[in-house]
Amino acid sequence: MSNLGVHQVHSEGVELTLQSLRAYWSEHQHFAVAWSGGKDSTALLTLLVHLIDTGAIPQPECLWVFYADTRQELPPIQAAAEQIMARLRRRNWIRVVVVRAPIDKRFMVYILGRGVPPPNNNTLRWCTRQIKVDPMAAALEQALDRMPGKALMLTGVRQGESAIRDGRIAMSCSKDGAECGQGWYQQVLPDAKGIKGRLATLAPMLHWRVCWIWDWLKIFAPMAEFGEWPTQILADAYGGDDATEINARTGCIGCPLAQRDTALETIVTMPAWSHLSPLLELKPLYRWMREPHQRHRKSGVERLKSGAIAKNPQRMGPLTIEARREALDRILDIQNRARVDLINAEEEARIRELIAARTFPDKWTGGEPRADRWLDAVYGDGSEQPILFRELVGQ
């Protein structure tokens, strides 16, 4: 391995990654990397390109790099991603594809334009699939239509990232002919439609410890002999010299699904990124948007097509037009003070267009009462009783 220049970087980990790649490389005609911009997929991408550059694995005719741009990424990670993409495009055998959701499905447009409340872990976790998984699957399917033969998608999945994910890995250890120590290999991309049998996935850094990831990103990847990748910026987003697995980014600024945005809290303490402190106002704003005062509620009996009474009568629903206008103004103010682009000009115009058209989710008209108003309670058997209730904030 001395000719690779990687013998200094936890040789056991790199050797297992090479074994994993070599075990499946010759079985596929096309190669791609699913890149989120986070630490693990960035370590995979930069190490993979280095191994190809040094001849450790054969250079493919084309390496596709699919970057998932959610439009809600932490600024240091987005800055690092843009610099990395610029370096990737210097190689004529790498094709970079920036994947975004259609404009009406993007996070801010969907909330403010259509009125869907911010996601939550209990009843409405719509964001990951809509702004990342589905657009990535669509981009892959489109690319595969132009590729004869089988393709191998490489991911930065590691054991230890998530207990749930570790459980899936353990159950899949011997699936599709994979062996322990050869990464996590699957012959079909989970949740992808229309590409079954044409795409396999491999996680060649499954065994990497988080300290190895940090050493690669902070010490070795930025060195000239490894490619001079601008990954030190990325490490800042996880705490700089104090980066740990705990300082994990949530994937979106002020993620409504996380109790704390630890990465953002860490970033704003750094002089270079202190101007981002207004972004800390996003999480309280998302909580405000989910309160009854800002939302509509169904009233009376709601019947299904079958004639049966719908479950959860008088449920809370979309944001009111007034709440959406106020939230838009507040978010634009936050981004102006933070000097970032949470909502670009095209998205703002579309949001205002949808609000002006009084757009609401299916089965809602905007004529429903506000959710904090007094309503008649409806029993599941269809009988209506003059029992009044009010859902109070915080109760």
Side-chain angles (χ1 to χ4, degrees), residues 28 158 378:
H28 300 83
R158 286 188 309 106
V378 181

Side-chain angles (χ1 to χ4, degrees), residues 120-166:
N120 71 95
N121 286 310
N122 297 323
T123 60
L124 196 65
R125 185 168 182 161
W126 53 263
C127 49
T128 302
R129 174 173 291 278
Q130 182 163 304
I131 66 176
K132 184 180 287 186
V133 176
D134 287 349
M136 183 69 78
L140 286 172
E141 186 171 358
Q142 185 178 20
L144 283 170
D145 286 342
R146 291 178 278 172
M147 300 181 196
K150 292 178 62 178
L152 181 64
M153 169 66 78
L154 303 170
T155 75
V157 171
R158 286 188 309 106
Q159 280 187 307
E161 273 195 287
S162 159
I164 295 174
R165 185 177 292 173
D166 284 355

Side-chain angles (χ1 to χ4, degrees), residues 66-374:
F66 294 93
Y67 173 58
D69 183 5
T70 64
R71 295 280 300 116
Q72 299 298 309
E73 188 57 88
L74 289 165
I77 292 179
Q78 186 65 35
E82 290 171 358
Q83 293 180 36
I84 289 170
M85 284 190 282
R87 297 188 68 80
L88 291 171
R89 290 187 174 110
R90 297 176 190 172
R91 295 166 169 83
N92 58 16
W93 50 274
I94 295 180
R95 181 164 183 174
V96 178
V97 179
V98 178
V99 178
R100 297 188 188 95
I103 189 167
D104 281 6
K105 297 288 188 179
R106 294 180 194 171
F107 189 78
M108 292 296 186
V109 179
Y110 199 63
I111 293 174
L112 302 175
R114 192 170 177 80
V116 177
N120 71 95
N121 286 310
N122 297 323
T123 60
L124 196 65
R125 185 168 182 161
W126 53 263
C127 49
T128 302
R129 174 173 291 278
Q130 182 163 304
I131 66 176
K132 184 180 287 186
V133 176
D134 287 349
M136 183 69 78
L140 286 172
E141 186 171 358
Q142 185 178 20
L144 283 170
D145 286 342
R146 291 178 278 172
M147 300 181 196
K150 292 178 62 178
L152 181 64
M153 169 66 78
L154 303 170
T155 75
V157 171
R158 286 188 309 106
Q159 280 187 307
E161 273 195 287
S162 159
I164 295 174
R165 185 177 292 173
D166 284 355
R168 292 202 307 267
I169 292 169
M171 288 187 290
S172 304
C173 187
S174 59
K175 184 179 178 181
D176 296 334
E179 297 180 10
C180 292
Q182 288 188 344
W184 182 24
Y185 179 77
Q186 294 180 292
Q187 290 183 357
V188 61
L189 183 67
D191 300 323
K193 300 176 182 178
I195 56 179
K196 188 174 182 180
R198 302 164 61 198
L199 181 71
T201 63
L202 176 66
M205 300 177 75
L206 185 71
H207 53 281
W208 275 51
R209 300 173 183 174
V210 68
C211 58
W212 298 357
I213 296 290
W214 293 132
D215 283 352
W216 173 257
L217 293 175
K218 295 197 294 183
I219 301 172
F220 297 101
M223 295 170 61
E225 65 180 291
F226 295 106
E228 288 187 294
W229 300 102
T231 51
Q232 182 62 49
I233 302 175
L234 177 66
D236 286 347
Y238 291 86
D241 292 337
D242 298 320
T244 67
E245 192 84 87
I246 297 174
N247 281 350
R249 99 196 203 284
T250 56
C252 292
I253 303 170
C255 174
L257 303 176
Q259 285 190 328
R260 293 179 58 189
D261 192 341
T262 310
L264 179 59
E265 292 173 4
T266 301
I267 288 168
V268 298
T269 64
M270 302 174 185
W273 302 105
S274 60
H275 64 280
L276 299 177
S277 58
L279 297 177
L280 294 170
E281 300 170 27
L282 285 173
K283 281 187 74 66
L285 176 58
Y286 293 145
R287 287 194 293 270
W288 174 85
M289 293 166 72
R290 292 196 58 82
E291 292 173 356
H293 187 80
Q294 278 64 251
R295 297 168 64 183
H296 289 290
R297 185 192 292 277
K298 287 289 187 182
S299 61
V301 176
E302 182 182 8
R303 294 191 179 274
L304 305 176
K305 291 182 179 179
S306 64
I309 294 176
K311 295 181 180 179
N312 193 17
Q314 301 182 340
R315 67 188 184 277
M316 285 202 296
L319 298 164
T320 66
I321 292 291
E322 295 75 19
R324 287 147 69 178
R325 288 195 180 107
E326 181 175 346
L328 173 60
D329 289 343
R330 289 169 66 177
I331 291 171
L332 292 175
D333 175 64
I334 288 170
Q335 75 173 24
N336 287 337
R337 287 184 285 122
R339 305 199 299 275
V340 297
D341 181 22
L342 296 171
I343 300 174
N344 62 28
E346 179 189 22
E347 292 161 347
E348 181 184 350
R350 182 57 176 158
I351 289 168
R352 295 190 185 280
E353 180 182 6
L354 291 169
I355 289 176
R358 295 189 60 82
T359 306
F360 284 88
D362 294 342
K363 300 182 180 180
W364 294 85
T365 66
E368 297 84 1
R370 210 172 63 194
D372 62 341
R373 299 275 172 83
W374 293 89

